[in-house]
Amino acid sequence: MIKYPNGQPSNFHKKERKTSVARSISSANRGMDFETDINLSCEYYKEKGLALITKRPTPINVVKVDYSKGAMITHAYFEKQSTTDYNGVYKGKYLDFEAKETKSKTSFPLNNIAPQQVEHLLGVIRHGGIAFFLIRLISLGETYLLKADYICGFYNEKPRKSIPVSEIKEHGILVKKGYNPRYLFLEAVDEAFFR
């Protein structure tokens, strides 16, 4: 326990525990912590001048806005199907990737991947770009980088409806977690694509 100089105990850990419990209860926030950590990592890489990677916004068409509440969107629809979560430039190469997570202890379900994402990432590869997935295995507390050609090949051939965790570990690269950046995914990108 951390104590202040006056001998009083810190409430830091109690607050942190309550917040994380509340967050894990809400299914609406599922995936947001992972995405937030990736966003923070991208921001760190940008500030250090290592890479320029941004979160791709979901294309929506706004139909109705309520200006009485400070321009709040009250009616909108997805304009078109989105492709991948992130894109950018690293070491002079275009990169594009999708971040996914699963609670399963045994496999990653392929129904988490949309057909247009597979098509998009295969196009990136055809044009010489770097394409991959970051897959977070929640139950194991591990995240892996898997090249898009491997995942897309598995998706198109469909030998199973999911990729076993054993294959993710065999074909993927473990992404280290840190304080800043939260996910050291560029180290995994170097290992997968630049060695």
Side-chain angles (χ1 to χ4, degrees):
M1 175 183 287
I2 299 173
K3 291 188 176 182
Y4 289 107
N6 67 2
Q8 295 295 316
S10 163
N11 290 334
F12 175 75
H13 296 291
K14 290 179 186 173
K15 288 179 186 173
E16 184 177 68
R17 197 175 323 117
K18 286 178 186 174
T19 304
S20 63
V21 169
R23 251 190 296 189
S24 66
I25 291 171
S26 170
S27 63
N29 289 331
R30 196 171 34 148
M32 295 309 292
D33 290 341
F34 185 43
E35 224 174 66
T36 299
D37 286 347
I38 293 172
N39 293 344
L40 290 170
S41 298
C42 291
E43 190 59 35
Y44 172 85
Y45 289 138
K46 179 182 172 186
E47 287 173 5
K48 295 294 180 184
L50 299 172
L52 179 61
I53 302 165
T54 56
K55 171 91 172 87
R56 184 179 277 135
T58 304
I60 62 165
N61 192 350
V62 177
V63 177
K64 191 173 181 184
V65 178
D66 183 355
Y67 291 102
S68 68
K69 297 180 182 179
M72 177 186 258
I73 298 171
T74 58
H75 188 117
Y77 63 89
F78 293 113
E79 197 171 282
K80 60 181 180 174
Q81 294 175 325
S82 63
T83 52
T84 53
D85 291 330
Y86 296 90
N87 67 338
V89 181
Y90 176 58
K91 291 187 175 180
K93 295 281 275 181
Y94 175 78
L95 65 81
D96 206 306
F97 67 96
E98 179 68 17
K100 299 284 187 189
E101 61 183 350
T102 182
K103 289 183 179 180
S104 172
K105 295 177 182 179
T106 58
S107 63
F108 172 75
L110 291 175
N111 63 2
N112 286 350
I113 302 171
Q116 73 270 11
Q117 292 173 328
V118 170
E119 185 181 325
H120 175 78
L121 289 169
L122 289 174
V124 169
I125 294 167
R126 274 193 303 277
H127 288 283
I130 295 171
F132 59 93
F133 284 82
L134 288 181
I135 297 180
R136 181 175 174 223
L137 305 171
I138 297 169
S139 61
L140 301 177
E142 296 175 345
T143 301
Y144 289 86
L145 179 147
L146 284 106
K147 290 183 175 184
D149 56 356
Y150 171 75
I151 298 272
C152 295
F154 203 100
Y155 182 92
N156 286 331
E157 293 168 17
K158 291 204 186 344
R160 295 177 49 149
K161 291 183 179 182
S162 61
I163 302 174
V165 166
S166 60
E167 290 202 29
I168 290 172
K169 289 184 174 203
E170 181 184 338
H171 296 280
I173 297 167
L174 182 66
V175 177
K176 295 177 195 165
K177 210 169 174 196
Y179 175 70
N180 201 10
R182 303 284 176 95
Y183 286 100
L184 289 83
F185 66 85
L186 285 187
E187 287 182 12
V189 168
D190 284 339
E191 188 176 332
F193 298 98
F194 290 98
R195 289 196 179 133

